[in-house]
Amino acid sequence: VWSANHVRLTARNPVTLTWDNGQGQVFTQVISIDQHFMFTVGQSVRNSGAKAVAVRPYGLISRTGTPEISGFFILHEGLLGVFNETLAEVDYDDLQEDGKVEQNSTGGWIGITDKFWLTALIPDQKTTTDSRFLHGKQGEKDKYQVDFLGPTQSIAPGSSATASNNLFAGAKEVRLLDGYREDLGIVRFDLAVDWGWLWFLTKPIFQALIYFN
């Protein structure tokens, strides 16, 4: 059970969560959000124990149940991620067969996308992370999960370690995603929008339509 400094998260008021594991380590998460639903999660661990401890930053997204998808062949709906600057797309039915897909990457992001909406985990872009796409069952329902583990940090007694990651849960607006790519340095975040096989034509045409509109 985590304690919170207050219960309402807004763009002006971050929330701090704290948990003491009773073994000498105190875990803190500072969660903030902007007006477009980009969360920033600062994680820290303070070690007051007698021995060094090893910790890793962690994040996950899960979806219970398989959603109805449009089935349009040039539009991906499902799990996806950018690993070492290359986009990987995994369909729900393919993951049901495989059960697990694992990747490691320096930079990039992982998530679950619908036609108009995206939920994405964005680890520290300068570190190497281990990522997974998972499928399982929760009763009769399918359950899908994407998660990542960051690099291990060893915390000596009396010391602390910190990490900062992001979570986006919002609309796939092209200018918004391009802005986050530039401002936060998110590798190939623009690929969250599926431009199809002819992306080198469709994206410039889209940008031209936005400009003239």
Side-chain angles (χ1 to χ4, degrees), residues 12 39-40 46 49 57 64 66-67 91 98-99 129 131 149 153 158 171 192 203 213:
R12 295 184 177 182
F39 295 80
T40 300
R46 186 176 73 253
T64 301
T66 305
D91 294 332
D98 297 335
T129 58
S131 302
L149 275 169
Q153 299 185 54
K203 187 172 184 179
N213 187 57

Side-chain angles (χ1 to χ4, degrees), residues 77-140:
E77 295 175 73
L79 297 84
L80 78 170
V82 167
F83 305 101
N84 298 311
E85 301 192 21
T86 300
L87 177 67
E89 298 176 331
V90 179
D91 294 332
Y92 291 111
D93 55 355
D94 290 337
L95 191 59
Q96 290 172 15
E97 295 180 7
D98 297 335
K100 180 192 295 185
V101 177
E102 296 180 300
Q103 294 269 9
N104 69 354
S105 174
T106 300
W109 51 274
I110 55 174
I112 300 175
T113 183
D114 294 330
K115 183 176 182 180
F116 298 115
W117 304 94
L118 170 71
T119 305
L121 291 165
I122 304 154
D124 185 332
Q125 297 295 283
K126 297 179 181 179
T127 63
T128 299
T129 58
D130 298 321
S131 302
R132 303 182 301 174
F133 298 153
L134 302 172
H135 170 262
K137 286 285 189 178
Q138 188 174 62
E140 296 297 318

